[in-house]
Amino acid sequence: MTPRELIEQGKMALGIEFGSTRIKGVLIDYDGNVLAVGGHEWENQLVDGVWTYDLADADAGLRSCYSSLRRDVEEKYGVTPKTFGAIGVSAMMHGYIALDRDDRQIARFQTWRNTNTTEAADELTELFQFNIPLRWSVAHLYQRLLDGEEHVKNVASVFTLAAYMHYKLTGEKVIGVGDAAGMFPIDSDTIDYNEGMVQQFDELFAKKGCPLHLRDIFPKVLAAGDAAGFLTEEGAALLDESGSLQAGIPLCPPEGDAGTGMTATNSVSPRTGNLSAGTSTFAMVVLEKQLSKLHREIDMVTTPSGFPCAMSHANNGTSDLNAWVGIFREFCGLMGIEADMGKLFGTLYTHSLSGDPDCGGLLPYGYYSGENVTFINEGRPLFVRTPDSRFNLANFMRANLYTSLGAVKLGMDILLKDEGVKLDRIMGHGGLFKTPGVMQRYLAAAVNTPVTVMATASEGGAWGIALLAAYLADGKQDGKLEDYLDNRIFAALAGDAVAPDPKDVEGFETFTRRYLAGLPIEKAAIEAVDW
């Protein structure tokens, strides 16, 4: 069938992902081929010390993204989509969206970027004997209780952004297991919240005089391939302002960006891993067995099918890197040069390859917010060098690329060196890998493991959630999710593998030692810089 025929008959899958800076939509056929894309730019805001998005902006961004995608379909194929085989929604994991019984928002949306939950995370980690990171939904909820916020007694629903948008489209309070694993610990055997910890949570809240029950307020957990509801009339009107889209379309379970990243890189089986590089950067490794002990630097989450997965998650990724490239664009403008951003990124990234393997003694920290891996609760972007550092453009760019992996590497060192986790391959995805052979080479050096980047790498998580939607619509006949991805999606996709260069490995290790040694500088900056 031609793409036009597929669209006319609704035999395709739509994925929409709410990223940190962009809401992206991808339309694919059931074999994963991209038919159309759409997008909408948005930004988080720091309001009264809280990183947040206005949920009205999420609604508007969803409509804008879909309108962009619909226009792409109409221009390419001369037809307006009216239905799909399935739709999937994903978003940044973690955070806190609280509604009352009338579905009114009763507290500011707290994103993953907030690190104002130290007391709650520490207490819950001690109670559960399971690492509860600062950004997890349960930590946000408990911190609101500890802080005496009045709204807590009226909480009827707690969502992640993906689960919230799914609820608005379907009326179903459900969540994919991978996204749920960023709300509360998951039992991989039952594909559900850990029941023993659920009871501990309920008892803790009762003792605090707030008899909330976790299963009443958190969404129901579903696995990949489970039916998660249908697009309602209200949901169709929210999604498509043109009124062309029909209700009744199935939706797959809403997932977080970790789960879509695993799917988009075929990293859902044990001994596989992936790294998603963006505003936040995180590496995922699917485990053969549980870790030997609790590590506060490591999140234990799951794949969209429920396999246990260790995650090294850094709150800070490419924000500072992007800001520096923006400075270079501004300079080009002053010189009368109209610089294309894609070419500018590619040129600067490629030039970094001529830099020293250890970045010449340059040390940036792109800490726009606190960083859980290094136990720093606020952010101060810094650039540090000594008088004899080799300060040139290649080393400058290489150092900024290295540091976008800096915190993630510390977590990966715990897994690969301390825990002895076996990793056969790791795949990179996200826009940071769009320039061929650069970030792929640096990641290989960071983890001393071959790194593969697929041709679809820049499509990122939106493509991943579209695949999960396609799996619901037409993929379960191929078996488990990993079978569908192996045999139907990735079998024919080209991917280039890069092995680690020993000189790069040694250079990245030197950079990492400096990164660790310089952390007191970051802490001192937090104390000194407060204006």
Side-chain angles (χ1 to χ4, degrees):
M1 296 176 67
T2 66
R4 180 188 174 101
E5 290 171 332
L6 291 173
I7 294 165
E8 289 175 332
Q9 297 183 33
K11 294 184 176 180
M12 65 274 184
L14 171 66
I16 297 177
E17 180 155 280
F18 290 75
S20 301
T21 60
R22 190 178 189 214
I23 304 170
K24 184 171 184 178
V26 173
L27 185 66
I28 65 171
D29 64 22
Y30 294 150
D31 294 326
N33 300 301
V34 176
L35 304 177
V37 297
H40 172 84
E41 306 296 324
W42 74 333
E43 285 286 349
N44 57 190
Q45 300 170 323
L46 186 62
V47 181
D48 297 328
V50 173
W51 289 104
T52 189
Y53 296 86
D54 190 321
L55 293 181
D57 292 341
D59 290 350
L62 177 68
R63 286 191 295 271
S64 174
C65 175
Y66 182 80
S67 294
S68 172
L69 182 139
R70 189 191 65 246
R71 289 192 297 269
D72 192 36
V73 171
E74 292 169 344
E75 291 170 4
K76 286 180 177 176
Y77 309 112
V79 61
T80 299
K82 296 182 178 179
T83 189
F84 306 107
I87 298 173
V89 177
S90 61
M92 301 162 282
M93 285 179 69
H94 319 297
Y96 179 71
I97 297 175
L99 308 182
D100 66 12
R101 294 185 184 279
D102 296 318
D103 287 341
R104 294 175 301 198
Q105 185 182 4
I106 54 176
R108 183 174 288 121
F109 172 29
Q110 303 249 354
T111 75
W112 56 270
R113 203 167 199 170
N114 290 290
T115 54
N116 54 0
T117 58
T118 300
E119 183 182 2
D122 287 347
E123 284 193 28
L124 292 172
T125 296
E126 179 65 24
L127 176 66
F128 297 150
Q129 285 300 293
F130 185 99
N131 183 34
I132 302 297
L134 302 179
R135 65 192 173 278
W136 278 30
S137 304
V138 68
H140 282 286
L141 173 60
Y142 186 45
Q143 189 66 55
R144 307 288 81 79
L145 178 65
L146 293 176
D147 291 346
E149 295 191 19
E150 281 294 314
H151 82 271
V152 175
K153 66 177 182 294
N154 296 318
V155 168
S157 302
V158 174
F159 292 107
T160 63
L161 181 57
Y164 172 76
M165 298 308 299
H166 181 95
Y167 178 55
K168 295 202 72 173
L169 294 174
T170 66
E172 298 288 341
K173 294 185 180 182
V174 298
I175 189 169
V177 63
D179 201 19
M183 296 188 78
F184 194 84
I186 293 293
D187 182 340
S188 289
D189 292 331
T190 62
I191 316 297
D192 199 358
Y193 302 120
N194 184 293
E195 181 56 30
M197 296 179 191
V198 168
Q199 293 179 16
Q200 289 176 305
F201 170 91
D202 290 351
E203 292 168 2
L204 175 65
F205 268 62
K207 290 178 182 177
K208 297 287 185 180
C210 183
L212 293 179
H213 297 282
L214 184 130
R215 291 191 182 278
D216 292 340
I217 61 175
F218 276 28
K220 179 182 177 182
V221 179
L222 300 175
D226 287 345
F230 299 88
L231 186 67
T232 62
E233 294 285 353
E234 295 81 5
L238 173 63
L239 184 59
D240 182 15
E241 58 189 358
S242 77
S244 303
L245 194 62
Q246 301 171 358
I249 301 170
L251 271 79
C252 69
E255 266 299 348
D257 48 5
T260 60
M262 285 185 268
T263 304
T265 55
N266 194 21
S267 305
V268 297
S269 300
R271 296 176 68 111
T272 64
N274 78 90
L275 183 131
S276 174
T279 305
S280 66
T281 301
F282 53 85
M284 315 285 296
V285 179
V286 186
L287 303 178
E288 296 178 286
K289 60 182 180 179
Q290 296 290 344
L291 300 180
S292 66
K293 61 182 179 180
L294 184 154
H295 298 277
R296 289 304 301 270
E297 301 91 342
I298 302 297
D299 296 11
M300 288 303 303
V301 292
T302 78
T303 71
S305 298
F307 282 120
C309 185
M311 176 165 65
S312 173
H313 183 290
N315 284 352
N316 300 281
T318 61
S319 293
D320 203 41
L321 173 65
N322 294 340
W324 280 115
V325 176
I327 289 291
F328 288 117
R329 184 186 189 184
E330 184 178 350
F331 172 75
C332 289
L334 290 173
M335 296 296 292
I337 302 168
E338 186 175 347
D340 173 79
M341 285 303 286
K343 184 176 181 180
L344 188 57
F345 272 104
T347 300
L348 289 169
Y349 284 17
T350 301
H351 184 60
S352 74
L353 294 171
S354 63
D356 296 313
D358 69 346
C359 305
L362 309 184
L363 180 61
Y365 292 97
Y367 283 17
Y368 271 50
S369 63
E371 186 53 73
N372 58 288
V373 176
T374 52
F375 305 106
I376 291 177
N377 289 336
E378 293 184 44
R380 299 291 188 276
L382 293 176
F383 191 93
V384 181
R385 62 188 177 103
T386 63
D388 59 350
S389 295
R390 293 178 293 282
F391 187 52
N392 55 52
L393 183 58
N395 280 339
F396 178 83
M397 287 306 303
R398 189 163 181 144
N400 277 287
L401 288 165
Y402 271 27
T403 205
S404 70
L405 298 176
V408 164
K409 175 172 167 53
L410 299 182
M412 289 297 288
D413 282 351
I414 290 171
L415 295 175
L416 301 179
K417 297 178 181 179
D418 300 345
E419 285 281 349
V421 169
K422 302 301 181 185
L423 184 60
D424 293 334
R425 70 167 192 266
I426 188 165
M427 300 184 74
H429 80 117
L432 197 57
F433 292 95
K434 194 170 184 178
T435 302
V438 180
M439 207 61 191
Q440 185 177 8
R441 174 173 159 180
Y442 298 156
L443 176 57
V447 297
N448 199 17
T449 301
V451 175
T452 300
V453 173
M454 312 297 294
T456 54
S458 62
E459 301 297 349
W463 187 63
I465 190 62
L467 288 176
L468 290 173
Y471 178 63
L472 171 67
D474 194 62
K476 289 190 289 183
Q477 61 186 346
D478 295 309
K480 299 177 181 179
L481 176 63
E482 51 266 34
D483 298 324
Y484 168 69
L485 295 177
D486 278 340
N487 301 324
R488 191 164 175 186
I489 302 300
F490 287 90
L493 286 179
D496 296 322
V498 169
D501 183 308
K503 291 182 180 179
D504 288 341
V505 173
E506 182 181 356
F508 213 124
E509 291 297 325
T510 300
F511 176 86
T512 301
R513 288 193 292 272
R514 292 171 180 154
Y515 186 97
L516 281 167
L519 287 173
I521 306 171
E522 179 71 23
K523 295 176 181 177
I526 293 170
E527 294 295 326
V529 181
D530 188 20
W531 56 70

